[in-house]
Amino acid sequence: MIPEIHIEDYNYGLEDSRIAKYPLPERDASKLLHYKDGKVGETIFRQLPDLLPEGALMVFNDTKVVPARLHFQRETGAVIEVFCLEPVQPVEYNTAFAATQQCSWKCVIGNAKKWKEDRLRLYNPQDDAAISAIGLEAVLENRDGQTGIVRFEWKDGSPFSRVLEMAGTVPIPPYLNRESEQIDSERYQTLYAHIRGSVAAPTAGLHFTQDVLNRIKDKGIDMETVCLHVGAGTFLPVKSSLVSEHPMHREPFVVSKTLLQRLAGKKTPLVAVGTTSVRTLESLYYIGVSCIENGQPSDVAQWAPYEREYPYSTQEALEAIIGYLESHGLDQLVAGTRIIIVPGFRFRLVDLLVTNFHQPESTLILLVSAFVNGDWRSIYDYALSHGFRFLSYGDSSLLERACV
């Protein structure tokens, strides 16, 4: 049964002064809240390895943020912002990034109604010769409100990934209320970012330094990765009072067969770095159910966890995915999820969560509440009263479920 949840019950007072507008000089100098057995304490993030259970498995999201915000100019001089969300033609990220002449993307378009011309040229106020040489132009193929399909064409033969690096800017969150700066190119990216595709950073990972990663490894904690490309929907507020009326966006992800095999035999605590890793890992059960019942994986629907009882164990579900991959000669699962994790959700895989402090009345607050069995307010009250910094560039937390 879909739970009846009112988003107003997940509000808290967040003043603008508490939102971290810039990262700290050192990634691992941020504060770390520790929640365990209903008790809240704090330390510094670089002490995280000391708090992790020995023998745990830690999973990171190795997606890489792309400079997906582009600006084009009308003949009148007006500037139109185009924010790339996901590729349409070619549909695969890697193929779209490798395109050398043109590609089409679903985009959010600023001032969309003002786009009257057939094509717009790239806005280049500094008259940068290298950017001019790209010859990037945008053609609006169709529009639906503030979103649309935009075809990009360019003439210098560069792959589209290079075009974005040259002409685009990092799409920092709108609540920072500032333009992207040079510091964001480095710091709005995890050290282990690897696979291009996100338009928002998996921000829990921004605190990790090589020293912290080395100390985690030295403690005997294994580290694995998944890849979920974070979409612009991560910025979207819940506008309906009833959460059941809020549509979740699809996000594509990839999980290796090796990790699936490790999870199927899991006997030690599983630590997820970030809510994106949680959503990926917890989606696996329902993909396994699809493999059992339908013979193949399918995307996870938003309310699948709540619509009925499932008779299968987590191990059975994971082994069904592994069996499907092996029978088709595949070494990784490629799928998508719209899963929403709200109070009442049954966690089947994740035991500990590293995460930042999220916006009021957001789906991420709902996920945190579900993870700590409804005790989210004591965590946030502590953070607010002890000088913690909030949101993407803010401080972090380590949350432990009661079962650990």
Side-chain angles (χ1 to χ4, degrees):
M1 180 182 295
I2 296 176
E4 185 171 306
I5 296 171
H6 291 272
I7 197 62
E8 308 90 73
D9 295 334
Y10 296 84
N11 195 9
Y12 69 93
L14 179 62
E15 298 178 0
D16 185 68
S17 61
R18 304 304 301 273
I19 299 173
K21 302 299 173 61
Y22 292 91
L24 294 176
E26 298 178 15
R27 289 178 183 262
D28 59 4
S30 56
K31 299 176 75 170
L32 178 70
L33 180 147
H34 184 207
Y35 175 87
K36 182 178 182 180
D37 299 330
K39 298 178 182 179
V40 181
E42 67 175 270
T43 182
I44 301 299
F45 191 86
R46 61 174 58 105
Q47 301 304 318
L48 173 68
D50 299 333
L51 301 177
L52 298 175
E54 292 188 11
L57 174 61
M58 199 166 194
V59 177
F60 299 79
N61 183 4
D62 67 356
T63 186
K64 187 173 185 178
V65 180
V66 296
R69 181 174 281 126
L70 297 161
H71 294 86
F72 293 87
Q73 191 168 29
R74 296 185 58 203
E75 292 178 359
T76 62
V79 176
I80 304 290
E81 180 181 279
V82 176
F83 184 6
C84 299
L85 296 181
E86 60 186 38
V88 174
Q89 182 62 39
V91 70
E92 294 294 333
Y93 279 85
N94 287 343
T95 309
F97 286 130
T100 57
Q101 291 182 313
Q102 67 176 41
C103 57
S104 297
W105 285 65
K106 180 179 180 181
C107 301
V108 174
I109 304 168
N111 296 322
K113 292 181 179 179
K114 294 183 178 180
W115 191 334
K116 307 294 185 182
E117 296 90 341
D118 288 338
R119 60 180 60 229
L120 302 179
R121 67 180 187 279
L122 184 68
Y123 181 52
N124 185 12
Q126 306 301 321
D127 199 24
D128 186 301
I131 292 178
S132 295
I134 296 171
L136 181 63
E137 295 182 335
V139 178
L140 184 60
E141 297 187 328
N142 64 60
R143 178 168 65 86
D144 181 12
Q146 292 300 305
T147 63
I149 306 300
V150 177
R151 184 173 77 250
F152 299 104
E153 299 178 357
W154 62 102
K155 61 186 181 182
D156 77 332
S158 297
F160 190 59
S161 58
R162 174 64 176 164
V163 172
L164 289 177
E165 289 170 5
M166 291 288 294
T169 58
V170 175
I172 59 174
Y175 49 67
L176 294 184
N177 291 319
R178 64 175 177 82
E179 292 298 319
S180 298
E181 300 179 22
Q182 185 59 43
I183 190 173
D184 300 309
S185 299
E186 175 192 355
R187 296 297 300 276
Y188 196 62
Q189 195 83 268
T190 64
L191 288 186
Y192 47 82
H194 179 58
I195 302 174
R196 295 179 300 236
S198 280
V199 298
T203 55
L206 298 181
H207 307 274
F208 286 85
T209 60
Q210 194 58 54
D211 178 65
V212 170
L213 293 170
N214 290 341
R215 288 174 54 221
I216 291 171
K217 183 178 180 181
D218 290 344
K219 192 171 180 177
I221 295 172
D222 289 334
M223 293 180 280
E224 293 277 0
T225 61
V226 295
C227 182
L228 179 141
H229 291 318
V230 188
T234 192
F235 299 140
L236 296 178
V238 179
K239 295 181 178 179
S240 307
S241 175
L242 282 174
V243 176
S244 58
E245 297 175 358
H246 176 73
M248 290 291 285
H249 53 291
R250 180 187 185 274
E251 291 174 314
F253 68 84
V254 177
V255 179
S256 69
K257 185 174 72 173
T258 300
L259 177 55
L260 287 164
Q261 291 169 329
R262 297 198 64 175
L263 295 173
K266 180 176 93 76
K267 295 182 176 62
T268 55
L270 179 62
V271 185
V273 177
T275 56
T276 59
S277 295
V278 173
R279 295 180 68 244
T280 301
L281 292 165
E282 295 295 335
S283 292
L284 294 176
Y285 177 81
Y286 303 97
I287 290 177
V289 169
S290 179
C291 288
I292 293 171
E293 297 182 347
N294 304 315
Q296 61 184 10
S298 62
D299 283 2
V300 181
Q302 177 169 336
W303 296 104
Y306 315 92
E307 292 174 340
R308 64 183 174 98
E309 294 292 327
Y310 294 90
Y312 317 106
S313 69
T314 302
Q315 184 172 353
E316 287 174 324
L318 294 173
E319 288 178 347
I321 302 174
I322 296 167
Y324 173 85
L325 295 179
E326 290 180 341
S327 66
H328 289 76
L330 302 172
D331 59 7
Q332 61 184 19
L333 169 70
V334 180
T337 185
R338 288 186 170 87
I339 195 171
I340 187 169
I341 297 178
V342 301
F345 181 85
R346 179 183 173 186
F347 287 89
R348 299 175 185 272
L349 284 159
V350 180
D351 303 303
L352 295 92
L353 168 62
V354 177
T355 190
N356 284 14
F357 296 93
H358 306 291
Q359 288 181 287
E361 298 188 355
S362 65
T363 59
L364 301 182
I365 286 282
L366 296 173
L367 185 153
V368 168
S369 179
F371 196 78
V372 298
N373 198 27
D375 200 19
W376 74 273
R377 198 170 289 278
S378 69
I379 294 169
Y380 276 66
D381 284 347
Y382 184 97
L384 286 166
S385 62
H386 287 75
F388 278 69
R389 302 158 70 248
F390 280 67
L391 308 187
S392 294
Y393 277 142
D395 295 317
S396 186
S397 66
L398 173 65
L399 311 178
E400 301 193 26
R401 290 205 298 124
C403 64
V404 178

